[in-house]
Every structure is written in structure tokens, then in C-alpha cells.
Amino acid sequence: MKLHGTQRVNEQGHLEIGGCDTVELAKQFGTPLYIMDEAHMRDICRQYYRSFVEDLENAEVIYASKAFSTLAMCRIIDSEGLGLDVVSGGELYTALQADFPVARIYFHGNNKSREELTMAIKAGVGRIVVDNFYEMSVLNDLAQELNLRVDILLRVTPGIEAHTHEYIQTGQIDSKFGFTLPDGTADRAFDLALSYSNLVVKGIHAHIGSQIFELDSFRHEVQIMINYMADINGRTDFLLQELNLGGGFGIYYATGDDPAQISDYAKTVEDALEDACRKRNFPRPKIIVEPGRSIVGTAGTTLYTIGSIKEIPGVRKYVAVDGGMADNPRPALYQARYEAVLANQAVEETTETVSVTGKCCESGDMLIWDIELPKAKAGDLLAVSCTGAYNYSMSSNYNRLTRPGVVLVEEGYADVIVKRETHSDLLRNDVLPARLNYLKMASR
Ligand code: LLP
């Protein structure tokens, strides 16, 4: 397994993260457990800040909180000077409860409810990214009722296919998101937005996909978007001043993944921007990027305890852990690949090929197919790396499994930032109607 951030193997041969021995973490907090490496996340935030905010002329970095949203995470993002992208009332609520500076919050989503929009307007979020005609008119009505003007970006679908897994492409034309650019829908949206009295159009937004390795995709995106901004300016004289390029920068999960450097990503954007603006004689807009996965992905590790092991001679050896698709649905959803190590024997030589399965009642509940491990036995700890993004945030209670806790580790300290769920948490919202009362049922 490739080591990330502060991960290292200590003298006892145990995996250590943030100066904390994972064997001790398992004893103290139980498993499964999500472990987030604070120094590593901060280091990545700083790379983004340096490469975009400091090195480019007018740029902002917005963390896409869908990747991992908790109160503590909002605080870390705020303290690193980044903004926040939220896509639901729940993510917005989390940010507000963390006292995240509202002016740096961007509110996205293709079907925001009236309640969510009202919440965002009242809170005074920095930008609402308007996705469709229905939302535009509802938003204007709500803003009018509240006697407020709202700063918006228009989400457009530029028609780019980023080279990534087809399920997570969002920039191509056949997409539920945004106003289609090539067929003129975006023009209509823009004209309409200008006619609404309570909306202030600041710029445009696009997101071309996720887990993108080819920087060329971003270059292409910048070209298309600047051309479009220049076209609008030519047609209407209106100057769009902000260009939000979305997220999508890819990370390492397993052998074969070869992500670019964040600084090269920024340079690609900068070069493309300079070139496109010069060609169209268009004034350089403010640039916004919205990384999610690349900020938290490699900072997360999930720690499991190995239980049953089933060997089918000549076929496969299944090693089962105490979690699975409920805490990490990505292998089942996207055929995502992960690497792992025995956390209590991280220096041992790998001796066998096994497949790691979860404990859900589904054959598809596989975490890793064909991985090399030392001979594992029940009670060993398995650490799966790069689980910081879209794991906790996509976890479920399938099979009524309780969600793992999340600990934030840093220089030998481990702080719980999300408590492990208990069985009673599972029943928190269950209601037994009176007619299912045992006495009444018996009398039937
Ligand atoms: N901005 C917008 C508008 C987005 O839709 C997304 C992700 C991002 C930013 C952040 O993208 P990132 O930097 O994380 O690639 N559940 C999937 C990923 C879905 C991404 C959806 N949108 C997964 O586990 O791979």
C-alpha cells in the first residue's frame, strides 16, 4: 500500500497516522473507524491556496463539502481560508452551525427546494448557483418576498466529456445538471436571469466530472467557458466577471492512478485562461475551483477488524471485515479500487492474494478484489487507504449497520469528530403506531 500524508509504519510494525498507532486507535475507539489525517488535509488545502489564491491573480478555492461534511471539517476549511460548496439544506445547516463565514458559501444543486432556497437567502450565502429555469423563477419570487437581491452564478453544461468513469461525468450534454450551452439554452437562461429584478448575475459555473487525471480536460473547459463569456459580452454588452470551473481533480487510490500536481492544475488553468482571454480580448474573470475529493480523499483511512475467512480451494479466499458497502459503497457503485494493509503487521511480507468483503447481505458487498496481504487471521486489523472522500458522506445504515465514528488525528492526538452510531440511534426516528401495540394486536 502506498503511504499518504503522515501515514508511516512504526517500530512495532503498526500503521501509524498523525502520530497515532492505529492498533491503539482500534482499542480506544473500536472498528470500523474512519481516521482523518488533519496535517495532510491542511497541507493539501495550503497547496490549493498557494497555487490558486496566491499564485493566480484573482482566484478562490471552494471545498466541495459533499466529499466529507462535518462541523470539524468546516472549521478546518475556514481556518485554511477556503470557501465552501454546499448542495443541500443539510450541508448548508452544517456549515452554518460551524459558523462558517456565509459570504464564502456557494449553494449548488439541481433541485433545491423552496425551503432550502429560503434558508440560503436568509443566511446570506455568497452565491447561489442557479441550475434551471424553474429554480430561477422560484428564487426570484422568494428574494422578492424577502426584499433582497441575490448574487447568482448560472450553471451551464458545456458539452465536455472528461475522461473518467461514466457514472460521474456531469459536464456532457445528456446531463441532469445546468443549462445546455451548445444548443442555446444557456443564452435563454442568461437573458431571462438579467430580466429578473432580484437576481444579480455574477458569472457562470460548470463542472465537467470527477476523478479527472487529464489536465487537458480543464484546459478545454476554460477555453469553452471564456469563449462563451466573450460571446455573451459581444451579444449583450454584459460582462460576466466570475468563472467557476467546478471540481474534479483526480487522486491516487491504487496502483496505476497517476494524478497531476495541484500546482500544475493551477498552471494549466492559468495558461488556458490567459490564452483564451487574449484571443477574445476578454478581461480576465475571477476564477473559482471547487475541489472535494482531492482535499480529503487521501487523508482518510478506514480501519476494520477481520473476522471470518473463507477459502474456496482453487477459486478465491474471502477475508471479511466488520464494515463494507454501508461505510464505503464506492466499489459497489463505481467499481472503485482501493489499497489496504494489515495495520497490526504493516511490515510483514505479503504472502497471499485475497479478496476483502464486507458483512452486508449482498454478494456485491466487496471492498477490494485480489489484493496481496500477509496471511491474515480473525482479529487482525485491515486499514484501507484513501477513503476520506465520498465514504462517510455516502455511508448508509443498510442492514441496520451502525455508521462508524470519525476521528481526527494530529501529532499524536485523536479527537472524535463524529461519534460512532449506536443501536439506539438506529431507532431514533422509528415510531410504533398505537394500533401495533401488542395488547391491541392480541385482541384482534
Ligand atoms: N462541484 C460540483 C458542482 C460537483 O458536482 C462536484 C462533485 C464537485 C464540485 C467536487 O468534485 P470532486 O473534486 O470531488 O471531484 N460520489 C462520487 C463523486 C461524485 C461527485 C459529484 N460532484 C464518487 O464517490 O466518486
Side-chain angles (χ1 to χ4, degrees):
M1 180 181 93
K2 183 175 174 204
L3 298 178
H4 302 268
T6 65
Q7 284 178 335
R8 68 175 200 109
V9 179
N10 65 18
E11 299 70 42
Q12 288 102 313
H14 300 170
L15 179 69
E16 196 178 282
I17 311 172
C20 298
D21 185 323
T22 52
V23 175
E24 294 306 315
L25 292 178
K27 274 191 206 141
Q28 194 180 347
F29 301 105
T31 60
L33 182 69
Y34 296 114
I35 303 165
M36 300 299 289
D37 179 345
E38 184 175 345
H40 186 37
M41 285 191 282
R42 287 189 183 277
D43 175 49
I44 297 168
C45 289
R46 285 168 200 174
Q47 288 183 44
Y48 265 109
Y49 195 87
R50 264 198 309 275
S51 306
F52 282 90
V53 183
E54 287 179 357
D55 290 354
L56 307 195
E57 207 178 287
N58 182 14
E60 193 175 0
V61 178
I62 307 291
Y63 166 62
S65 69
K66 72 204 77 179
F68 178 73
S69 163
T70 70
L71 293 174
M73 191 63 206
C74 291
R75 284 284 163 90
I76 291 174
I77 291 299
D78 179 24
S79 66
E80 294 300 334
L82 310 192
L84 204 71
D85 147 358
V86 300
V87 294
S88 69
E91 286 182 0
L92 176 57
Y93 179 76
T94 306
L96 296 177
Q97 290 298 308
D99 292 322
F100 197 91
V102 278
R104 284 196 267 132
I105 299 179
Y106 284 59
F107 189 22
H108 291 268
N110 72 308
N111 190 21
K112 307 175 189 78
S113 68
R114 298 178 77 90
E115 292 72 26
E116 287 173 321
L117 288 172
T118 305
M119 185 177 167
I121 303 172
K122 283 187 173 164
V125 302
R127 299 282 179 274
I128 295 185
V129 184
V130 174
D131 184 275
N132 53 71
F133 290 107
Y134 170 70
E135 179 188 337
M136 200 187 288
S137 100
V138 171
L139 183 64
N140 188 62
D141 289 350
L142 293 172
Q144 230 160 20
E145 281 165 30
L146 293 165
N147 205 13
L148 290 167
R149 278 163 66 82
V150 181
D151 291 338
I152 63 165
L153 300 184
L154 292 179
R155 172 150 188 178
V156 305
T157 319
I160 298 176
E161 291 206 14
H163 301 272
T164 181
H165 193 289
E166 69 175 313
Y167 295 174
I168 46 184
Q169 284 175 352
T170 40
Q172 77 277 37
I173 288 178
D174 185 3
S175 162
K176 73 169 182 170
F177 296 104
F179 301 102
T180 312
L181 199 150
D183 71 357
T185 310
D187 282 339
R188 281 199 293 125
F190 175 78
D191 294 345
L192 193 64
L194 283 193
S195 74
Y196 281 123
S197 56
N198 291 60
L199 305 184
V200 183
V201 186
K202 291 284 184 184
I204 52 174
H205 168 273
H207 171 78
I208 57 168
S210 200
Q211 184 59 357
I212 297 169
F213 289 140
E214 284 86 357
L215 293 180
D216 239 10
S217 304
F218 297 112
R219 190 193 317 277
H220 197 183
E221 183 189 10
V222 171
Q223 278 163 358
I224 292 182
M225 298 294 272
I226 291 293
N227 269 332
Y228 184 62
M229 291 166 98
D231 286 348
I232 285 198
N233 186 239
R235 187 169 66 79
T236 67
D237 237 18
F238 189 90
L239 189 60
L240 289 164
Q241 294 179 21
E242 296 177 14
L243 171 56
N244 184 328
L245 296 167
F249 188 70
I251 62 163
Y252 181 97
Y253 280 103
T255 321
D257 291 341
D258 188 16
Q261 297 292 318
I262 291 167
S263 52
D264 290 336
Y265 172 27
K267 185 149 182 4
T268 301
V269 168
E270 171 65 16
D271 290 349
L273 186 65
E274 222 179 83
D275 187 54
C277 288
R278 186 174 25 81
K279 281 191 180 131
R280 294 298 304 265
N281 194 21
F282 186 75
R284 185 196 172 93
K286 173 177 177 178
I287 289 293
I288 299 135
V289 287
E290 289 173 341
R293 185 194 314 272
S294 51
I295 287 190
V296 284
T298 53
T301 303
T302 311
L303 195 60
Y304 301 99
T305 303
I306 291 172
S308 65
I309 295 175
K310 171 181 177 177
E311 181 157 19
I312 311 166
V315 178
R316 179 177 302 282
K317 187 166 182 177
Y318 286 95
V319 170
V321 295
D322 53 355
M325 66 190 294
D327 61 78
N328 183 0
R330 299 192 69 259
L333 273 176
Y334 317 118
Q335 294 86 51
R337 296 176 311 131
Y338 285 92
E339 290 183 343
V341 69
L342 286 190
N344 55 319
Q345 289 175 44
V347 276
E348 299 278 306
E349 230 172 271
T350 58
T351 50
E352 54 181 8
T353 304
V354 301
S355 291
V356 180
T357 180
K359 63 179 287 165
C360 289
C361 285
E362 286 215 16
S363 304
D365 176 23
M366 295 298 297
L367 285 178
I368 308 177
W369 291 99
D370 299 328
I371 177 181
E372 304 285 319
L373 284 182
K375 198 167 170 53
K377 55 183 187 320
D380 281 339
L381 295 170
L382 187 82
V384 177
S385 62
C386 302
T387 58
Y390 305 113
N391 271 233
Y392 170 68
S393 68
M394 292 178 74
S395 62
S396 76
N397 289 123
Y398 183 47
N399 288 172
R400 289 235 145 178
L401 296 189
T402 49
R403 282 189 181 79
V406 186
V407 293
L408 184 67
V409 293
E410 162 83 330
E411 291 192 349
Y413 291 97
D415 294 298
V416 173
I417 57 169
V418 181
K419 285 193 264 182
R420 173 181 303 287
E421 283 180 347
T422 63
H423 283 158
S424 70
D425 288 330
L426 295 172
L427 300 189
R428 200 175 44 216
N429 295 322
D430 275 31
V431 179
L432 261 183
R435 66 195 164 78
L436 295 183
N437 178 307
Y438 276 130
L439 289 173
K440 284 198 181 157
M441 284 168 76
S443 68
R444 273 189 196 162

